[in-house]
Amino acid sequence: MDKIAVLIPCYNEEKTIGKVVDDWKRELPEAIIYVYNNNSADRTAEIALEHGAIVRNEYMQGKGNVIRRMFREIDAECYIMIDGDDTYPAENGREMAKLVLEKQVDMVVGDRLSSTYFEENKRPFHNMGNTVVRNSINTLFKSDIRDVMTGYRAFSYEFVKTFPVLSKGFEIETEMTIHAIDKNMYVENVIIEYRDRPEDSESKLNTYSDGFKVLRTIFRLFRFYKPLGFFSIIALILLALSVGFFIPVFAEYLRTGLVLRIPTLVVCGFALIAAIMSVFTGLILSNIQEKGKRDFEMELIRLHDTSKR
């Protein structure tokens, strides 16, 4: 098992990957640096090899697919995940590794948003999107994560080996964050100095399509991790519809003593039944989720014991 593994997912980063590898070899000379090449059409893999990194390939396109491969193949006491575009400083790497190795932190988040991100990043919709995603997750999951979508993180062995990678693309960071919050894992924030990409380096992010994927991921994970809250919201909406349909029928009944809008009353009844069913669905799924958390804790204990042998 490696002591520290630096994981760099890459797709067409020949302009910056050499500097990134050199920076990490300087800051953490004891670390093993892995570059995972994701079907690059340029010299990314060749340059990474020239600068002393271990290069492996993932042929399924997408950052989530690359991270799945990394987490499966590499065993280390501490993992540091960094992008290959030279936007994150290697100087914070040792501090983040110490938090994992000495304080047993499960995930260290490289917080861009509390420092230079909004000044350095030239894409205003990205700035707004990061703020919306952070506020949404902290509100829905009652957390204090300062940067949800950062690609600069450090992980413990237990986190990596128990994290189920489901996302295929850039929404993977959101999935990691929500997993750590839900499983009550130890999370720390470290403020980092973000710098924008060099002028001749092109971002792979699509503001609108990737932003939509992230929001869809939040919606899906909220339903999965907080089923009682999710289905209670649906129940409240259905209850409001039921009451809205019932009020004119009841008002007419008080005025005339007759129920003349039978179809409306039927719709009112169906909406009320659906609201009740939604509440019970949330309760059942919440109990299943609670059992899943207990099973997860037992898996953590087993994994911890195995890693210490």
Side-chain angles (χ1 to χ4, degrees):
M1 183 182 290
D2 300 332
K3 184 76 171 178
I4 303 174
V6 177
L7 312 181
I8 311 176
C10 277
Y11 173 61
N12 291 342
E13 299 289 5
E14 67 175 4
K15 303 291 184 183
T16 54
I17 187 59
K19 180 179 182 300
V20 171
V21 172
D22 289 344
D23 287 349
W24 282 96
K25 287 174 73 68
R26 182 185 68 249
E27 294 298 327
L28 285 174
E30 71 272 28
I32 308 299
I33 300 174
Y34 297 89
V35 171
Y36 272 70
N37 179 42
N38 192 207
N39 299 315
S40 295
D42 60 11
R43 296 180 63 247
T44 295
E46 183 181 339
I47 293 172
L49 275 172
E50 291 172 356
H51 286 257
I54 297 173
V55 176
R56 296 180 180 175
N57 292 291
E58 169 54 51
Y59 298 103
M60 293 177 64
Q61 196 65 41
K63 188 173 184 180
N65 291 323
V66 179
I67 290 172
R68 181 188 295 111
R69 179 71 60 189
M70 289 174 165
F71 285 3
R72 284 178 184 174
E73 292 184 349
I74 297 171
D75 293 331
E77 294 180 38
C78 172
Y79 302 76
I80 298 178
M81 186 180 75
I82 189 80
D83 291 341
D85 56 9
D86 194 32
T87 55
Y88 300 114
E91 288 78 10
N92 297 101
R94 188 164 295 282
E95 177 188 2
M96 295 171 78
K98 279 186 176 181
L99 286 172
V100 173
L101 296 171
E102 297 178 9
K103 288 186 66 177
Q104 286 76 54
V105 176
D106 290 299
M107 182 173 73
V108 184
V109 177
D111 174 19
R112 310 161 297 169
L113 305 188
S114 299
S115 62
T116 56
Y117 182 80
F118 295 110
E119 292 77 28
E120 287 288 321
N121 184 47
K122 306 302 189 297
R123 294 151 291 187
F125 284 107
H126 283 209
N127 296 340
M128 181 181 70
N130 272 280
T131 302
V132 168
V133 170
R134 177 183 63 182
N135 293 342
S136 298
I137 287 180
N138 285 335
T139 300
L140 291 173
F141 293 89
K142 297 179 176 57
S143 59
D144 185 31
I145 303 296
R146 298 174 192 166
D147 191 349
V148 172
M149 299 176 67
T150 178
Y152 194 5
R153 298 170 189 253
F155 307 104
S156 67
Y157 177 80
E158 286 80 7
F159 180 95
V160 165
K161 298 305 179 182
T162 58
F163 172 56
V165 181
L166 302 178
S167 300
K168 298 178 181 179
F170 285 99
E171 62 270 30
I172 185 67
E173 284 96 355
T174 305
E175 192 174 310
M176 288 175 173
T177 301
I178 295 175
H179 173 76
I181 296 168
D182 179 74
K183 295 302 186 292
N184 195 31
M185 304 190 92
Y186 188 7
V187 179
E188 286 272 9
N189 298 284
V190 169
I191 297 176
I192 63 168
E193 297 293 320
Y194 176 86
R195 51 185 179 245
D196 204 9
R197 280 175 168 268
E199 290 185 6
D200 55 351
S201 177
E202 183 179 351
S203 174
K204 316 304 182 303
L205 284 170
N206 183 292
T207 302
Y208 303 104
S209 66
D210 287 320
F212 176 75
K213 289 177 184 176
V214 169
L215 293 176
R216 186 177 62 188
T217 299
I218 294 173
F219 178 84
R220 172 174 59 82
L221 295 177
F222 179 58
R223 182 190 65 200
F224 179 77
Y225 287 119
K226 300 285 184 180
L228 184 57
F230 178 83
F231 284 99
S232 294
I233 291 171
I234 294 177
L236 286 174
I237 295 171
L238 291 169
L239 181 62
L241 287 173
S242 178
V243 171
F245 283 125
F246 180 72
I247 287 174
V249 175
F250 186 62
E252 189 173 54
Y253 172 76
L254 291 177
R255 189 174 65 254
T256 65
L258 300 172
V259 178
L260 301 176
R261 304 181 185 182
I262 299 298
T264 303
L265 189 61
V266 170
V267 172
C268 167
F270 275 117
L272 181 60
I273 292 170
I276 295 170
M277 290 177 63
S278 185
V279 170
F280 279 99
T281 299
L283 287 170
I284 293 168
L285 292 176
S286 181
N287 287 334
I288 294 173
Q289 175 71 1
E290 191 66 28
K291 182 183 182 303
K293 287 184 179 181
R294 292 194 186 99
D295 293 342
F296 178 81
E297 289 299 321
M298 297 306 297
E299 174 67 13
L300 274 183
I301 293 171
R302 185 196 64 77
L303 192 66
H304 181 77
D305 291 343
T306 301
S307 67
K308 295 302 179 184
R309 289 174 186 171

